[in-house]
Amino acid sequence: MKIAIYPGSFDPITNGHVDIATRAASIFDEVVLAVYDAPPKRLLFTTDERVEMARQALRRLPNLRVTSYAGLTVHFAHQAGAQFIVRGLRVISDFEAEHQMALTNRELASDIETICLMTRREYAFLSATIVKEIAKLGGPVENFVPPHVAQALRTRFGSAEQQKVSVIPTQLLRD
Ligand code: ADP
Protein backbone atom coordinates (compact mmCIF):
# COMPACT_ATOMS: atom_id res chain seq x y z
CA MET A 1 0.00 0.00 0.00
CA LYS A 2 1.39 3.38 -0.99
CA ILE A 3 0.14 5.88 1.59
CA ALA A 4 0.70 9.65 1.43
CA ILE A 5 -0.10 12.49 3.77
CA TYR A 6 -0.94 15.94 2.39
CA PRO A 7 -0.19 18.29 5.29
CA GLY A 8 -0.98 22.00 5.55
CA SER A 9 -2.91 24.72 7.32
CA PHE A 10 -5.94 24.61 5.00
CA ASP A 11 -7.25 27.88 6.48
CA PRO A 12 -9.56 27.41 4.60
CA ILE A 13 -9.30 24.72 1.92
CA THR A 14 -9.27 26.26 -1.61
CA ASN A 15 -9.84 24.86 -5.10
CA GLY A 16 -6.04 24.70 -5.46
CA HIS A 17 -5.81 22.37 -2.44
CA VAL A 18 -8.77 20.32 -3.71
CA ASP A 19 -6.99 19.85 -7.05
CA ILE A 20 -3.73 18.69 -5.43
CA ALA A 21 -5.62 16.34 -3.06
CA THR A 22 -7.67 14.89 -5.93
CA ARG A 23 -4.58 14.27 -8.06
CA ALA A 24 -2.74 12.74 -5.08
CA ALA A 25 -5.70 10.39 -4.52
CA SER A 26 -5.34 9.17 -8.10
CA ILE A 27 -1.62 8.43 -7.59
CA PHE A 28 -1.55 6.82 -4.12
CA ASP A 29 -3.57 3.95 -2.64
CA GLU A 30 -4.50 6.08 0.35
CA VAL A 31 -4.15 9.80 1.10
CA VAL A 32 -4.53 11.49 4.47
CA LEU A 33 -5.15 15.22 4.24
CA ALA A 34 -3.55 16.35 7.49
CA VAL A 35 -4.66 19.66 8.97
CA TYR A 36 -1.85 21.08 11.09
CA ASP A 37 -3.37 22.34 14.33
CA ALA A 38 -0.94 25.14 15.19
CA PRO A 39 0.92 26.58 12.18
CA PRO A 40 3.13 29.62 12.81
CA LYS A 41 0.57 32.02 11.33
CA ARG A 42 -2.64 33.68 12.44
CA LEU A 43 -5.59 31.45 11.70
CA LEU A 44 -9.11 32.48 10.71
CA PHE A 45 -10.76 29.10 11.38
CA THR A 46 -10.38 26.65 14.26
CA THR A 47 -8.83 23.24 13.67
CA ASP A 48 -12.27 21.56 13.80
CA GLU A 49 -13.68 24.04 11.28
CA ARG A 50 -10.73 23.54 8.90
CA VAL A 51 -11.08 19.75 9.16
CA GLU A 52 -14.84 19.87 8.60
CA MET A 53 -14.56 22.15 5.54
CA ALA A 54 -11.86 19.90 4.02
CA ARG A 55 -13.95 16.77 4.72
CA GLN A 56 -16.96 18.24 2.99
CA ALA A 57 -14.86 19.35 0.00
CA LEU A 58 -13.28 15.92 -0.51
CA ARG A 59 -15.90 13.44 0.63
CA ARG A 60 -16.34 12.09 -2.92
CA LEU A 61 -12.81 10.58 -2.79
CA PRO A 62 -13.10 7.10 -1.22
CA ASN A 63 -9.34 6.67 -0.62
CA LEU A 64 -8.84 10.04 1.08
CA ARG A 65 -9.51 10.88 4.71
CA VAL A 66 -9.10 14.15 6.59
CA THR A 67 -7.71 14.46 10.09
CA SER A 68 -5.85 16.99 12.23
CA TYR A 69 -2.40 16.52 13.71
CA ALA A 70 0.01 18.18 16.11
CA GLY A 71 3.78 17.97 16.36
CA LEU A 72 6.27 17.01 13.68
CA THR A 73 4.87 16.19 10.25
CA VAL A 74 7.23 13.21 9.85
CA HIS A 75 6.02 11.78 13.18
CA PHE A 76 2.45 12.06 11.93
CA ALA A 77 3.48 10.41 8.63
CA HIS A 78 4.91 7.45 10.58
CA GLN A 79 1.76 7.23 12.73
CA ALA A 80 -0.37 7.16 9.57
CA GLY A 81 1.84 4.45 8.05
CA ALA A 82 2.70 6.84 5.19
CA GLN A 83 5.85 6.70 3.08
CA PHE A 84 5.15 9.97 1.23
CA ILE A 85 4.47 13.65 1.96
CA VAL A 86 2.61 15.46 -0.82
CA ARG A 87 2.95 19.23 -1.26
CA GLY A 88 1.81 21.64 -3.95
CA LEU A 89 4.04 24.01 -5.92
CA ARG A 90 2.84 27.27 -7.42
CA VAL A 91 5.71 29.72 -7.85
CA ILE A 92 9.48 29.88 -7.31
CA SER A 93 9.07 31.07 -3.73
CA ASP A 94 7.05 27.92 -2.98
CA PHE A 95 9.93 25.87 -4.36
CA GLU A 96 12.44 27.47 -1.99
CA ALA A 97 10.26 26.82 1.05
CA GLU A 98 9.33 23.28 -0.02
CA HIS A 99 12.95 22.44 -0.86
CA GLN A 100 14.09 23.50 2.61
CA MET A 101 11.24 21.62 4.28
CA ALA A 102 11.78 18.46 2.22
CA LEU A 103 15.52 18.37 3.03
CA THR A 104 14.81 18.98 6.72
CA ASN A 105 12.21 16.23 6.77
CA ARG A 106 14.63 13.85 5.04
CA GLU A 107 17.16 14.54 7.86
CA LEU A 108 14.48 13.79 10.43
CA ALA A 109 13.09 10.71 8.67
CA SER A 110 15.03 9.27 5.73
CA ASP A 111 12.25 6.77 4.96
CA ILE A 112 9.73 9.50 4.05
CA GLU A 113 9.84 10.86 0.50
CA THR A 114 8.42 14.32 -0.35
CA ILE A 115 6.52 14.51 -3.64
CA CYS A 116 5.62 17.95 -5.01
CA LEU A 117 2.78 18.27 -7.49
CA MET A 118 2.71 21.27 -9.81
CA THR A 119 -0.38 23.46 -9.56
CA ARG A 120 -2.75 23.83 -12.47
CA ARG A 121 -2.34 27.10 -14.37
CA GLU A 122 -5.74 28.38 -13.22
CA TYR A 123 -4.79 27.94 -9.54
CA ALA A 124 -1.23 29.27 -9.75
CA PHE A 125 -2.20 32.60 -8.15
CA LEU A 126 -4.54 31.11 -5.57
CA SER A 127 -3.72 31.01 -1.86
CA ALA A 128 -5.84 30.76 1.27
CA THR A 129 -4.39 34.13 2.31
CA ILE A 130 -5.59 35.95 -0.82
CA VAL A 131 -9.02 34.32 -0.58
CA LYS A 132 -9.33 35.58 3.01
CA GLU A 133 -8.30 39.08 1.94
CA ILE A 134 -10.91 39.15 -0.83
CA ALA A 135 -13.63 37.84 1.52
CA LYS A 136 -12.64 40.35 4.19
CA LEU A 137 -13.12 43.17 1.66
CA GLY A 138 -16.52 41.81 0.65
CA GLY A 139 -15.38 40.48 -2.74
CA PRO A 140 -16.66 37.30 -4.44
CA VAL A 141 -14.74 34.12 -3.63
CA GLU A 142 -17.06 31.59 -5.33
CA ASN A 143 -14.55 30.86 -8.11
CA PHE A 144 -11.76 30.10 -5.66
CA VAL A 145 -13.24 27.84 -2.99
CA PRO A 146 -15.98 25.17 -2.72
CA PRO A 147 -19.49 26.61 -2.09
CA HIS A 148 -19.63 25.69 1.62
CA VAL A 149 -16.28 27.42 2.19
CA ALA A 150 -17.52 30.57 0.40
CA GLN A 151 -20.55 30.47 2.72
CA ALA A 152 -18.33 30.09 5.80
CA LEU A 153 -16.22 33.08 4.67
CA ARG A 154 -19.35 35.18 4.09
CA THR A 155 -20.63 34.27 7.54
CA ARG A 156 -17.28 35.18 9.08
CA PHE A 157 -16.83 38.49 7.29
CA GLY A 158 -20.35 39.51 6.28
CA SER A 159 -21.53 40.20 2.73
CA ALA A 160 -20.29 42.96 0.43
CA GLU A 161 -23.52 44.87 0.98
CA GLN A 162 -23.05 44.85 4.72
CA GLN A 163 -19.53 46.15 4.27
CA LYS A 164 -20.46 48.59 1.49
CA VAL A 165 -17.44 47.42 -0.51
CA SER A 166 -18.07 46.93 -4.21
CA VAL A 167 -14.65 46.48 -5.76
CA ILE A 168 -11.47 44.67 -4.87
CA PRO A 169 -8.56 47.11 -4.68
CA THR A 170 -6.35 46.62 -7.73
CA GLN A 171 -3.36 46.31 -5.40
CA LEU A 172 -4.80 42.99 -4.20
CA LEU A 173 -5.10 41.62 -7.71
CA ARG A 174 -1.46 42.42 -8.46
CA ASP A 175 0.00 40.70 -5.33
P1 ADP B 1 1.14 25.60 4.68
O1 ADP B 1 0.65 26.48 5.76
O2 ADP B 1 1.82 24.37 5.14
O3 ADP B 1 1.87 26.29 3.54
P2 ADP B 1 -1.23 25.60 3.06
O4 ADP B 1 -2.54 25.18 3.58
O5 ADP B 1 -1.04 27.04 2.75
O6 ADP B 1 -0.18 25.02 4.08
O7 ADP B 1 -0.88 24.74 1.78
C1 ADP B 1 -0.68 23.35 1.86
C2 ADP B 1 0.04 22.90 0.62
O8 ADP B 1 -0.78 23.15 -0.52
C3 ADP B 1 1.36 23.62 0.35
O9 ADP B 1 2.27 22.69 -0.23
C4 ADP B 1 0.99 24.66 -0.67
O10 ADP B 1 2.10 25.01 -1.49
C5 ADP B 1 -0.06 23.92 -1.46
N1 ADP B 1 -0.97 24.84 -2.14
C6 ADP B 1 -1.66 25.87 -1.62
N2 ADP B 1 -2.39 26.52 -2.56
C7 ADP B 1 -2.13 25.86 -3.73
C8 ADP B 1 -2.54 26.05 -5.10
N3 ADP B 1 -3.35 27.06 -5.45
N4 ADP B 1 -2.08 25.17 -6.02
C9 ADP B 1 -1.24 24.18 -5.66
N5 ADP B 1 -0.79 23.95 -4.41
C10 ADP B 1 -1.23 24.78 -3.45
Side-chain angles (χ1 to χ4, degrees):
M1 281 272 276
K2 294 214 182 309
I3 303 175
I5 63 165
Y6 176 27
S9 313
F10 304 104
D11 183 46
I13 190 161
T14 69
N15 291 343
H17 294 130
V18 168
D19 175 56
I20 296 289
T22 304
R23 284 157 60 200
S26 74
I27 296 170
F28 299 100
D29 296 311
E30 202 182 302
V31 176
V32 182
L33 186 139
V35 176
Y36 186 43
D37 80 335
K41 41 178 148 176
R42 254 186 72 210
L43 293 167
L44 179 62
F45 294 105
T46 66
T47 304
D48 286 348
E49 287 168 334
R50 288 178 288 138
V51 166
E52 197 38 52
M53 281 188 277
R55 267 192 195 139
Q56 213 173 317
L58 297 165
R59 63 182 164 198
R60 71 200 151 77
L61 298 173
N63 62 334
L64 182 144
R65 66 187 171 91
V66 178
T67 187
S68 62
Y69 77 105
L72 284 177
T73 300
V74 289
H75 284 171
F76 176 74
H78 283 151
Q79 264 171 34
Q83 310 92 336
F84 304 95
I85 294 174
V86 169
R87 298 282 290 175
L89 282 183
R90 286 160 296 189
V91 288
I92 297 284
S93 54
D94 272 355
F95 174 80
E96 286 175 8
E98 297 300 336
H99 182 242
Q100 183 182 29
M101 211 164 0
L103 295 186
T104 306
N105 283 335
R106 159 108 22 96
E107 283 298 310
L108 296 171
S110 58
D111 56 330
I112 308 277
E113 195 70 63
T114 298
I115 310 272
C116 290
L117 298 181
M118 207 64 68
T119 187
R120 278 187 202 288
R121 201 175 36 173
E122 60 265 41
Y123 302 136
F125 68 96
L126 187 55
S127 71
T129 303
I130 206 142
V131 167
K132 285 182 280 191
E133 279 298 315
I134 294 169
K136 192 170 149 193
L137 296 169
V141 291
E142 283 71 17
N143 290 341
F144 309 135
V145 294
H148 64 283
V149 176
Q151 183 56 52
L153 286 164
R154 272 195 298 272
T155 305
R156 193 55 58 100
F157 289 120
S159 68
E161 249 169 45
Q162 283 166 326
Q163 295 189 29
K164 300 213 177 350
V165 175
S166 56
V167 288
I168 305 165
T170 48
Q171 175 64 37
L172 243 186
L173 297 172
R174 276 201 305 273
D175 280 348

